[in-house]
Amino acid sequence: MNYIRTAGILVLCFICGKLHAAVPGNFELGNFFITTTMSSVSAEFSIKYTTAMERKGYVKLVITDAAGKQFLEIPRQQVVLAAGESKRIKLSEEKLRPQLWSPEHPVLYKMQIAVTYNNKGDAADVRKIGFKSFEIRNNLFYLNGKPYYLKALSQWPVSRIEDANGKPAPEVWEDERFVKRFFEKIKALNINAGRIGDHELWVRYADEMGVLNITGSYSGAGAKDSKVFESNRENFTPKILQLRNHVSTAIYTLSNEIQWTANPDFLGLAKAN
């Protein structure tokens, strides 16, 4: 995992979310950690065998572009699992030349990881991915190796949504037509980033339509509480696990309006954590 820490910010470059997973057979796939750069891809995942005898299977990774043309195939690898055993697998490739993802050109690929047994498909995971890098150099953001300026909108989906009569209407968060129109409007305004958070529908549209996601921990203990780091870690770890495979994910903010000067022990806690 490549990351940069600066001024309380953790910056990572990852890719995006699942389309669907095939119904599993005797093998189960899970706990995916997909990482890309401008020229590489790495897929780490768990494979578990669920029946009562040892079995040998084969794992293969294939990536295709939007037109269905094969971009990459990693030759199948053999895996032998005892009954109920789980193993961690890593498939990776470097020196690739993909089309890069950006808000201006949100290019996505389809990645399939499949397990076969006796030449028959047993389990598969299919998802959309993108290739990008995002980092900080000399106080500037860099996207895909070039300086990049964020034109961002604050929290969305917004915390408070009201209907025409002024009544709360949070159901629009789940209304895909509304979400699509919202993103179309955002793109028309030339906005390329926002505090989108971890709502799966909104994150999927950020991947597909090209908006960088600035997400973070905005709840839990405040700086005056000595448990501030423990609390943020507890709140934030599930968000990282959910968002780490989305190409739109760009910045994780590890704290928010913490007023660290209110706690004389804060800097010591920060160094310890």
Side-chain angles (χ1 to χ4, degrees):
M1 177 173 64
N2 299 320
Y3 64 90
I4 292 176
R5 289 183 187 273
T6 179
I9 296 177
L10 181 64
V11 181
L12 304 91
C13 43
F14 294 128
I15 58 185
C16 65
K18 182 180 293 185
L19 289 171
H20 66 275
V23 177
N26 295 322
F27 292 98
E28 292 181 357
L29 299 172
N31 194 20
F32 287 86
F33 187 12
I34 315 299
T35 309
T36 63
T37 68
M38 293 188 292
S39 60
S40 67
V41 61
S42 173
E44 295 184 51
F45 54 94
S46 298
I47 179 171
K48 182 178 181 180
Y49 184 55
T50 59
T51 60
M53 62 180 69
E54 183 179 270
R55 177 157 292 182
K56 177 175 64 177
Y58 294 90
V59 183
K60 185 172 72 171
L61 181 151
V62 176
I63 297 176
T64 55
D65 63 19
K69 182 180 179 180
Q70 183 171 297
F71 170 73
L72 172 68
E73 178 178 342
I74 297 179
R76 68 179 192 171
Q77 297 185 13
Q78 180 178 293
V79 57
V80 179
L81 295 173
E85 183 182 8
S86 178
K87 287 184 178 179
R88 194 76 180 155
I89 304 294
K90 181 178 180 179
L91 303 174
S92 61
E93 190 67 44
E94 298 181 349
K95 298 182 180 179
L96 301 175
R97 299 182 64 183
Q99 295 185 62
L100 301 180
W101 183 98
S102 70
E104 292 72 30
H105 303 285
V107 178
L108 296 176
Y109 290 80
K110 183 174 74 174
M111 182 177 73
Q112 175 173 301
I113 297 173
V115 183
T116 57
Y117 169 71
N118 281 345
N119 295 319
K120 296 180 179 180
D122 190 277
D125 179 90
V126 182
R127 64 181 65 223
K128 290 181 179 179
I129 70 169
F131 292 84
K132 87 169 195 303
S133 68
F134 189 80
E135 57 188 331
I136 292 175
R137 301 183 203 165
N138 300 321
N139 299 319
L140 291 177
F141 293 117
Y142 276 71
L143 176 65
N144 297 331
K146 298 178 181 179
Y148 195 78
Y149 293 90
L150 301 184
K151 298 178 281 289
L153 183 68
S154 190
Q155 187 175 357
W156 43 311
V158 294
S159 299
R160 294 174 294 277
I161 301 177
E162 298 178 348
D163 62 17
N165 299 315
K167 295 181 179 180
E171 63 273 7
V172 300
W173 288 16
E174 306 290 345
D175 185 342
E176 187 162 355
R177 292 176 300 175
F178 172 84
V179 175
K180 184 175 185 294
R181 291 197 303 269
F182 189 95
F183 272 87
E184 289 172 343
K185 182 66 173 179
I186 289 301
K187 297 292 290 186
L189 294 172
N190 203 29
I191 291 172
N192 60 21
R195 240 171 68 178
I196 301 169
D198 57 358
H199 193 290
E200 188 64 30
L201 178 62
W202 290 72
V203 174
R204 176 167 66 83
Y205 269 90
D207 293 337
E208 295 177 356
M209 297 189 68
V211 179
L212 293 164
N213 186 4
I214 303 170
T215 187
S217 177
Y218 303 110
S219 60
K224 294 181 180 180
D225 191 331
S226 294
K227 294 183 178 180
V228 57
F229 289 97
E230 178 183 344
S231 175
N232 281 354
R233 186 180 295 110
E234 180 179 345
N235 290 323
F236 199 42
T237 298
K239 295 180 183 292
I240 292 178
L241 294 176
Q242 178 183 350
L243 295 170
R244 65 185 183 179
N245 296 328
H246 283 271
V247 69
S248 57
T249 302
I251 298 174
Y252 294 123
T253 58
L254 302 183
S255 57
N256 183 55
E257 301 174 4
I258 56 174
Q259 298 179 335
W260 61 270
T261 55
N263 185 347
D265 297 325
F266 184 83
L267 291 181
L269 290 167
K271 293 178 180 179
N273 284 269

PDB file of all heavy atoms in Angstrom, residues 101 106 175-177 179-181 183-184 187 196 199-211 246 248:
ATOM      1  N   TRP A 101      -7.374   6.814 -15.179  1.00  0.00           N
ATOM      2  CA  TRP A 101      -8.631   7.383 -14.670  1.00  0.00           C
ATOM      3  C   TRP A 101      -8.354   8.785 -14.145  1.00  0.00           C
ATOM      4  O   TRP A 101      -7.359   9.043 -13.458  1.00  0.00           O
ATOM      5  CB  TRP A 101      -9.168   6.517 -13.544  1.00  0.00           C
ATOM      6  CG  TRP A 101     -10.501   6.948 -12.987  1.00  0.00           C
ATOM      7  CD1 TRP A 101     -11.719   6.446 -13.311  1.00  0.00           C
ATOM      8  CD2 TRP A 101     -10.744   7.965 -11.984  1.00  0.00           C
ATOM      9  NE1 TRP A 101     -12.710   7.071 -12.587  1.00  0.00           N
ATOM     10  CE2 TRP A 101     -12.132   8.013 -11.772  1.00  0.00           C
ATOM     11  CE3 TRP A 101      -9.924   8.824 -11.266  1.00  0.00           C
ATOM     12  CZ2 TRP A 101     -12.717   8.883 -10.854  1.00  0.00           C
ATOM     13  CZ3 TRP A 101     -10.503   9.706 -10.364  1.00  0.00           C
ATOM     14  CH2 TRP A 101     -11.885   9.722 -10.165  1.00  0.00           C
ATOM     15  N   PRO A 106     -12.829   9.502 -16.819  1.00  0.00           N
ATOM     16  CA  PRO A 106     -12.993   8.406 -15.841  1.00  0.00           C
ATOM     17  C   PRO A 106     -13.034   7.025 -16.506  1.00  0.00           C
ATOM     18  O   PRO A 106     -14.075   6.373 -16.584  1.00  0.00           O
ATOM     19  CB  PRO A 106     -14.313   8.757 -15.155  1.00  0.00           C
ATOM     20  CG  PRO A 106     -15.089   9.515 -16.190  1.00  0.00           C
ATOM     21  CD  PRO A 106     -14.069  10.284 -16.984  1.00  0.00           C
ATOM     22  N   ASP A 175     -32.240   7.335  -4.157  1.00  0.00           N
ATOM     23  CA  ASP A 175     -32.906   7.543  -5.437  1.00  0.00           C
ATOM     24  C   ASP A 175     -31.843   7.700  -6.522  1.00  0.00           C
ATOM     25  O   ASP A 175     -31.215   8.751  -6.659  1.00  0.00           O
ATOM     26  CB  ASP A 175     -33.795   8.789  -5.366  1.00  0.00           C
ATOM     27  CG  ASP A 175     -34.618   9.009  -6.632  1.00  0.00           C
ATOM     28  OD1 ASP A 175     -34.269   8.418  -7.680  1.00  0.00           O
ATOM     29  OD2 ASP A 175     -35.585   9.775  -6.575  1.00  0.00           O
ATOM     30  N   GLU A 176     -31.635   6.654  -7.324  1.00  0.00           N
ATOM     31  CA  GLU A 176     -30.552   6.678  -8.297  1.00  0.00           C
ATOM     32  C   GLU A 176     -30.752   7.759  -9.352  1.00  0.00           C
ATOM     33  O   GLU A 176     -29.786   8.347  -9.832  1.00  0.00           O
ATOM     34  CB  GLU A 176     -30.402   5.307  -8.961  1.00  0.00           C
ATOM     35  CG  GLU A 176     -29.186   5.209  -9.860  1.00  0.00           C
ATOM     36  CD  GLU A 176     -28.787   3.789 -10.177  1.00  0.00           C
ATOM     37  OE1 GLU A 176     -29.411   2.856  -9.617  1.00  0.00           O
ATOM     38  OE2 GLU A 176     -27.860   3.610 -10.973  1.00  0.00           O
ATOM     39  N   ARG A 177     -31.996   8.056  -9.713  1.00  0.00           N
ATOM     40  CA  ARG A 177     -32.234   9.110 -10.688  1.00  0.00           C
ATOM     41  C   ARG A 177     -31.775  10.451 -10.149  1.00  0.00           C
ATOM     42  O   ARG A 177     -31.164  11.263 -10.869  1.00  0.00           O
ATOM     43  CB  ARG A 177     -33.711   9.164 -11.054  1.00  0.00           C
ATOM     44  CG  ARG A 177     -34.211   7.960 -11.841  1.00  0.00           C
ATOM     45  CD  ARG A 177     -35.700   8.047 -12.078  1.00  0.00           C
ATOM     46  NE  ARG A 177     -36.439   8.089 -10.809  1.00  0.00           N
ATOM     47  CZ  ARG A 177     -37.755   8.255 -10.724  1.00  0.00           C
ATOM     48  NH1 ARG A 177     -38.474   8.409 -11.831  1.00  0.00           N
ATOM     49  NH2 ARG A 177     -38.347   8.276  -9.544  1.00  0.00           N
ATOM     50  N   VAL A 179     -29.463  10.889  -7.778  1.00  0.00           N
ATOM     51  CA  VAL A 179     -28.008  10.847  -7.667  1.00  0.00           C
ATOM     52  C   VAL A 179     -27.357  11.115  -9.021  1.00  0.00           C
ATOM     53  O   VAL A 179     -26.404  11.886  -9.133  1.00  0.00           O
ATOM     54  CB  VAL A 179     -27.548   9.490  -7.100  1.00  0.00           C
ATOM     55  CG1 VAL A 179     -26.019   9.404  -7.088  1.00  0.00           C
ATOM     56  CG2 VAL A 179     -28.093   9.292  -5.686  1.00  0.00           C
ATOM     57  N   LYS A 180     -27.886  10.494 -10.057  1.00  0.00           N
ATOM     58  CA  LYS A 180     -27.332  10.686 -11.398  1.00  0.00           C
ATOM     59  C   LYS A 180     -27.449  12.143 -11.836  1.00  0.00           C
ATOM     60  O   LYS A 180     -26.489  12.735 -12.358  1.00  0.00           O
ATOM     61  CB  LYS A 180     -28.043   9.785 -12.401  1.00  0.00           C
ATOM     62  CG  LYS A 180     -27.476   9.827 -13.817  1.00  0.00           C
ATOM     63  CD  LYS A 180     -28.170   8.803 -14.698  1.00  0.00           C
ATOM     64  CE  LYS A 180     -27.518   8.752 -16.080  1.00  0.00           C
ATOM     65  NZ  LYS A 180     -27.708   9.993 -16.837  1.00  0.00           N
ATOM     66  N   ARG A 181     -28.622  12.762 -11.607  1.00  0.00           N
ATOM     67  CA  ARG A 181     -28.804  14.170 -11.977  1.00  0.00           C
ATOM     68  C   ARG A 181     -27.872  15.063 -11.167  1.00  0.00           C
ATOM     69  O   ARG A 181     -27.332  16.056 -11.678  1.00  0.00           O
ATOM     70  CB  ARG A 181     -30.263  14.590 -11.764  1.00  0.00           C
ATOM     71  CG  ARG A 181     -31.241  13.948 -12.724  1.00  0.00           C
ATOM     72  CD  ARG A 181     -32.559  14.702 -12.743  1.00  0.00           C
ATOM     73  NE  ARG A 181     -33.161  14.789 -11.423  1.00  0.00           N
ATOM     74  CZ  ARG A 181     -34.014  13.904 -10.932  1.00  0.00           C
ATOM     75  NH1 ARG A 181     -34.358  12.851 -11.658  1.00  0.00           N
ATOM     76  NH2 ARG A 181     -34.539  14.067  -9.736  1.00  0.00           N
ATOM     77  N   PHE A 183     -24.883  14.311  -9.945  1.00  0.00           N
ATOM     78  CA  PHE A 183     -23.529  14.211 -10.486  1.00  0.00           C
ATOM     79  C   PHE A 183     -23.411  14.920 -11.829  1.00  0.00           C
ATOM     80  O   PHE A 183     -22.379  15.533 -12.129  1.00  0.00           O
ATOM     81  CB  PHE A 183     -23.098  12.745 -10.601  1.00  0.00           C
ATOM     82  CG  PHE A 183     -22.459  12.207  -9.347  1.00  0.00           C
ATOM     83  CD1 PHE A 183     -23.231  11.673  -8.334  1.00  0.00           C
ATOM     84  CD2 PHE A 183     -21.087  12.260  -9.179  1.00  0.00           C
ATOM     85  CE1 PHE A 183     -22.653  11.176  -7.173  1.00  0.00           C
ATOM     86  CE2 PHE A 183     -20.487  11.782  -8.022  1.00  0.00           C
ATOM     87  CZ  PHE A 183     -21.274  11.232  -7.011  1.00  0.00           C
ATOM     88  N   GLU A 184     -24.443  14.827 -12.644  1.00  0.00           N
ATOM     89  CA  GLU A 184     -24.420  15.536 -13.927  1.00  0.00           C
ATOM     90  C   GLU A 184     -24.316  17.036 -13.711  1.00  0.00           C
ATOM     91  O   GLU A 184     -23.581  17.728 -14.436  1.00  0.00           O
ATOM     92  CB  GLU A 184     -25.674  15.185 -14.731  1.00  0.00           C
ATOM     93  CG  GLU A 184     -25.673  13.754 -15.262  1.00  0.00           C
ATOM     94  CD  GLU A 184     -26.997  13.365 -15.886  1.00  0.00           C
ATOM     95  OE1 GLU A 184     -28.004  14.069 -15.632  1.00  0.00           O
ATOM     96  OE2 GLU A 184     -27.034  12.353 -16.610  1.00  0.00           O
ATOM     97  N   LYS A 187     -20.761  17.876 -12.479  1.00  0.00           N
ATOM     98  CA  LYS A 187     -19.794  17.855 -13.575  1.00  0.00           C
ATOM     99  C   LYS A 187     -19.953  19.076 -14.473  1.00  0.00           C
ATOM    100  O   LYS A 187     -18.969  19.626 -14.975  1.00  0.00           O
ATOM    101  CB  LYS A 187     -19.961  16.569 -14.382  1.00  0.00           C
ATOM    102  CG  LYS A 187     -19.686  15.291 -13.601  1.00  0.00           C
ATOM    103  CD  LYS A 187     -18.214  15.160 -13.234  1.00  0.00           C
ATOM    104  CE  LYS A 187     -17.367  14.880 -14.443  1.00  0.00           C
ATOM    105  NZ  LYS A 187     -15.953  14.599 -14.086  1.00  0.00           N
ATOM    106  N   ILE A 196     -17.653  13.080  -0.392  1.00  0.00           N
ATOM    107  CA  ILE A 196     -18.740  12.176  -0.765  1.00  0.00           C
ATOM    108  C   ILE A 196     -19.033  11.154   0.327  1.00  0.00           C
ATOM    109  O   ILE A 196     -20.158  10.719   0.505  1.00  0.00           O
ATOM    110  CB  ILE A 196     -18.392  11.466  -2.095  1.00  0.00           C
ATOM    111  CG1 ILE A 196     -18.168  12.518  -3.189  1.00  0.00           C
ATOM    112  CG2 ILE A 196     -19.484  10.496  -2.510  1.00  0.00           C
ATOM    113  CD1 ILE A 196     -17.559  11.964  -4.452  1.00  0.00           C
ATOM    114  N   HIS A 199     -21.292   6.349   1.210  1.00  0.00           N
ATOM    115  CA  HIS A 199     -22.563   5.829   0.715  1.00  0.00           C
ATOM    116  C   HIS A 199     -22.314   5.132  -0.620  1.00  0.00           C
ATOM    117  O   HIS A 199     -21.865   5.749  -1.584  1.00  0.00           O
ATOM    118  CB  HIS A 199     -23.563   6.971   0.550  1.00  0.00           C
ATOM    119  CG  HIS A 199     -24.977   6.515   0.344  1.00  0.00           C
ATOM    120  ND1 HIS A 199     -25.383   5.907  -0.819  1.00  0.00           N
ATOM    121  CD2 HIS A 199     -26.057   6.555   1.158  1.00  0.00           C
ATOM    122  CE1 HIS A 199     -26.668   5.606  -0.730  1.00  0.00           C
ATOM    123  NE2 HIS A 199     -27.087   5.988   0.469  1.00  0.00           N
ATOM    124  N   GLU A 200     -22.603   3.836  -0.710  1.00  0.00           N
ATOM    125  CA  GLU A 200     -22.169   3.012  -1.833  1.00  0.00           C
ATOM    126  C   GLU A 200     -22.682   3.526  -3.179  1.00  0.00           C
ATOM    127  O   GLU A 200     -21.946   3.551  -4.168  1.00  0.00           O
ATOM    128  CB  GLU A 200     -22.613   1.566  -1.632  1.00  0.00           C
ATOM    129  CG  GLU A 200     -22.054   0.586  -2.642  1.00  0.00           C
ATOM    130  CD  GLU A 200     -20.543   0.455  -2.584  1.00  0.00           C
ATOM    131  OE1 GLU A 200     -19.958   0.632  -1.478  1.00  0.00           O
ATOM    132  OE2 GLU A 200     -19.929   0.199  -3.637  1.00  0.00           O
ATOM    133  N   LEU A 201     -23.933   3.942  -3.256  1.00  0.00           N
ATOM    134  CA  LEU A 201     -24.483   4.425  -4.515  1.00  0.00           C
ATOM    135  C   LEU A 201     -23.753   5.674  -4.987  1.00  0.00           C
ATOM    136  O   LEU A 201     -23.399   5.808  -6.162  1.00  0.00           O
ATOM    137  CB  LEU A 201     -25.979   4.700  -4.369  1.00  0.00           C
ATOM    138  CG  LEU A 201     -26.692   5.272  -5.603  1.00  0.00           C
ATOM    139  CD1 LEU A 201     -26.618   4.298  -6.773  1.00  0.00           C
ATOM    140  CD2 LEU A 201     -28.151   5.594  -5.261  1.00  0.00           C
ATOM    141  N   TRP A 202     -23.503   6.595  -4.069  1.00  0.00           N
ATOM    142  CA  TRP A 202     -22.829   7.842  -4.417  1.00  0.00           C
ATOM    143  C   TRP A 202     -21.373   7.578  -4.798  1.00  0.00           C
ATOM    144  O   TRP A 202     -20.841   8.202  -5.728  1.00  0.00           O
ATOM    145  CB  TRP A 202     -22.908   8.820  -3.251  1.00  0.00           C
ATOM    146  CG  TRP A 202     -24.292   9.340  -3.020  1.00  0.00           C
ATOM    147  CD1 TRP A 202     -25.354   8.653  -2.496  1.00  0.00           C
ATOM    148  CD2 TRP A 202     -24.780  10.643  -3.324  1.00  0.00           C
ATOM    149  NE1 TRP A 202     -26.468   9.454  -2.449  1.00  0.00           N
ATOM    150  CE2 TRP A 202     -26.149  10.678  -2.948  1.00  0.00           C
ATOM    151  CE3 TRP A 202     -24.196  11.787  -3.866  1.00  0.00           C
ATOM    152  CZ2 TRP A 202     -26.930  11.819  -3.108  1.00  0.00           C
ATOM    153  CZ3 TRP A 202     -24.982  12.926  -4.018  1.00  0.00           C
ATOM    154  CH2 TRP A 202     -26.335  12.928  -3.637  1.00  0.00           C
ATOM    155  N   VAL A 203     -20.726   6.664  -4.111  1.00  0.00           N
ATOM    156  CA  VAL A 203     -19.339   6.340  -4.429  1.00  0.00           C
ATOM    157  C   VAL A 203     -19.244   5.682  -5.805  1.00  0.00           C
ATOM    158  O   VAL A 203     -18.315   5.955  -6.577  1.00  0.00           O
ATOM    159  CB  VAL A 203     -18.733   5.435  -3.345  1.00  0.00           C
ATOM    160  CG1 VAL A 203     -17.339   4.974  -3.740  1.00  0.00           C
ATOM    161  CG2 VAL A 203     -18.669   6.173  -2.012  1.00  0.00           C
ATOM    162  N   ARG A 204     -20.203   4.844  -6.144  1.00  0.00           N
ATOM    163  CA  ARG A 204     -20.199   4.212  -7.471  1.00  0.00           C
ATOM    164  C   ARG A 204     -20.296   5.258  -8.570  1.00  0.00           C
ATOM    165  O   ARG A 204     -19.584   5.178  -9.578  1.00  0.00           O
ATOM    166  CB  ARG A 204     -21.345   3.211  -7.578  1.00  0.00           C
ATOM    167  CG  ARG A 204     -21.459   2.580  -8.971  1.00  0.00           C
ATOM    168  CD  ARG A 204     -22.374   1.377  -8.968  1.00  0.00           C
ATOM    169  NE  ARG A 204     -23.750   1.685  -8.681  1.00  0.00           N
ATOM    170  CZ  ARG A 204     -24.625   2.124  -9.593  1.00  0.00           C
ATOM    171  NH1 ARG A 204     -24.237   2.328 -10.853  1.00  0.00           N
ATOM    172  NH2 ARG A 204     -25.878   2.371  -9.260  1.00  0.00           N
ATOM    173  N   TYR A 205     -21.167   6.255  -8.377  1.00  0.00           N
ATOM    174  CA  TYR A 205     -21.272   7.314  -9.388  1.00  0.00           C
ATOM    175  C   TYR A 205     -20.015   8.174  -9.433  1.00  0.00           C
ATOM    176  O   TYR A 205     -19.630   8.672 -10.495  1.00  0.00           O
ATOM    177  CB  TYR A 205     -22.516   8.167  -9.145  1.00  0.00           C
ATOM    178  CG  TYR A 205     -23.715   7.641  -9.887  1.00  0.00           C
ATOM    179  CD1 TYR A 205     -24.566   6.715  -9.305  1.00  0.00           C
ATOM    180  CD2 TYR A 205     -23.971   8.028 -11.203  1.00  0.00           C
ATOM    181  CE1 TYR A 205     -25.654   6.191  -9.998  1.00  0.00           C
ATOM    182  CE2 TYR A 205     -25.056   7.519 -11.901  1.00  0.00           C
ATOM    183  CZ  TYR A 205     -25.892   6.601 -11.298  1.00  0.00           C
ATOM    184  OH  TYR A 205     -26.960   6.091 -11.994  1.00  0.00           O
ATOM    185  N   ALA A 206     -19.346   8.339  -8.299  1.00  0.00           N
ATOM    186  CA  ALA A 206     -18.074   9.066  -8.308  1.00  0.00           C
ATOM    187  C   ALA A 206     -17.041   8.321  -9.147  1.00  0.00           C
ATOM    188  O   ALA A 206     -16.286   8.928  -9.912  1.00  0.00           O
ATOM    189  CB  ALA A 206     -17.566   9.246  -6.881  1.00  0.00           C
ATOM    190  N   ASP A 207     -17.008   7.000  -9.022  1.00  0.00           N
ATOM    191  CA  ASP A 207     -16.110   6.189  -9.846  1.00  0.00           C
ATOM    192  C   ASP A 207     -16.440   6.344 -11.320  1.00  0.00           C
ATOM    193  O   ASP A 207     -15.556   6.565 -12.157  1.00  0.00           O
ATOM    194  CB  ASP A 207     -16.247   4.703  -9.481  1.00  0.00           C
ATOM    195  CG  ASP A 207     -15.750   4.368  -8.088  1.00  0.00           C
ATOM    196  OD1 ASP A 207     -14.925   5.125  -7.554  1.00  0.00           O
ATOM    197  OD2 ASP A 207     -16.199   3.338  -7.541  1.00  0.00           O
ATOM    198  N   GLU A 208     -17.711   6.192 -11.651  1.00  0.00           N
ATOM    199  CA  GLU A 208     -18.131   6.115 -13.048  1.00  0.00           C
ATOM    200  C   GLU A 208     -18.143   7.465 -13.750  1.00  0.00           C
ATOM    201  O   GLU A 208     -17.863   7.548 -14.950  1.00  0.00           O
ATOM    202  CB  GLU A 208     -19.510   5.464 -13.133  1.00  0.00           C
ATOM    203  CG  GLU A 208     -19.522   4.007 -12.671  1.00  0.00           C
ATOM    204  CD  GLU A 208     -20.906   3.393 -12.682  1.00  0.00           C
ATOM    205  OE1 GLU A 208     -21.881   4.131 -12.980  1.00  0.00           O
ATOM    206  OE2 GLU A 208     -21.032   2.193 -12.393  1.00  0.00           O
ATOM    207  N   MET A 209     -18.467   8.535 -13.018  1.00  0.00           N
ATOM    208  CA  MET A 209     -18.588   9.846 -13.654  1.00  0.00           C
ATOM    209  C   MET A 209     -17.370  10.735 -13.425  1.00  0.00           C
ATOM    210  O   MET A 209     -17.244  11.781 -14.040  1.00  0.00           O
ATOM    211  CB  MET A 209     -19.862  10.543 -13.181  1.00  0.00           C
ATOM    212  CG  MET A 209     -21.119   9.780 -13.578  1.00  0.00           C
ATOM    213  SD  MET A 209     -22.660  10.677 -13.263  1.00  0.00           S
ATOM    214  CE  MET A 209     -22.530  11.999 -14.464  1.00  0.00           C
ATOM    215  N   GLY A 210     -16.475  10.317 -12.520  1.00  0.00           N
ATOM    216  CA  GLY A 210     -15.225  11.031 -12.357  1.00  0.00           C
ATOM    217  C   GLY A 210     -15.253  12.156 -11.349  1.00  0.00           C
ATOM    218  O   GLY A 210     -15.200  13.332 -11.727  1.00  0.00           O
ATOM    219  N   VAL A 211     -15.317  11.809 -10.053  1.00  0.00           N
ATOM    220  CA  VAL A 211     -15.214  12.801  -8.982  1.00  0.00           C
ATOM    221  C   VAL A 211     -14.337  12.209  -7.886  1.00  0.00           C
ATOM    222  O   VAL A 211     -14.569  11.083  -7.446  1.00  0.00           O
ATOM    223  CB  VAL A 211     -16.590  13.174  -8.394  1.00  0.00           C
ATOM    224  CG1 VAL A 211     -16.420  14.194  -7.272  1.00  0.00           C
ATOM    225  CG2 VAL A 211     -17.509  13.723  -9.468  1.00  0.00           C
ATOM    226  N   HIS A 246     -12.063   1.574  -4.359  1.00  0.00           N
ATOM    227  CA  HIS A 246     -12.754   2.504  -5.261  1.00  0.00           C
ATOM    228  C   HIS A 246     -11.758   3.492  -5.852  1.00  0.00           C
ATOM    229  O   HIS A 246     -11.009   4.149  -5.133  1.00  0.00           O
ATOM    230  CB  HIS A 246     -13.852   3.269  -4.519  1.00  0.00           C
ATOM    231  CG  HIS A 246     -15.079   2.468  -4.272  1.00  0.00           C
ATOM    232  ND1 HIS A 246     -16.118   2.408  -5.172  1.00  0.00           N
ATOM    233  CD2 HIS A 246     -15.436   1.670  -3.241  1.00  0.00           C
ATOM    234  CE1 HIS A 246     -17.071   1.620  -4.698  1.00  0.00           C
ATOM    235  NE2 HIS A 246     -16.672   1.151  -3.533  1.00  0.00           N
ATOM    236  N   SER A 248     -12.230   6.347  -7.118  1.00  0.00           N
ATOM    237  CA  SER A 248     -12.500   7.746  -6.781  1.00  0.00           C
ATOM    238  C   SER A 248     -11.907   8.149  -5.440  1.00  0.00           C
ATOM    239  O   SER A 248     -11.716   9.340  -5.177  1.00  0.00           O
ATOM    240  CB  SER A 248     -14.005   8.009  -6.773  1.00  0.00           C
ATOM    241  OG  SER A 248     -14.663   7.145  -5.864  1.00  0.00           O
TER     242      SER A 248
END
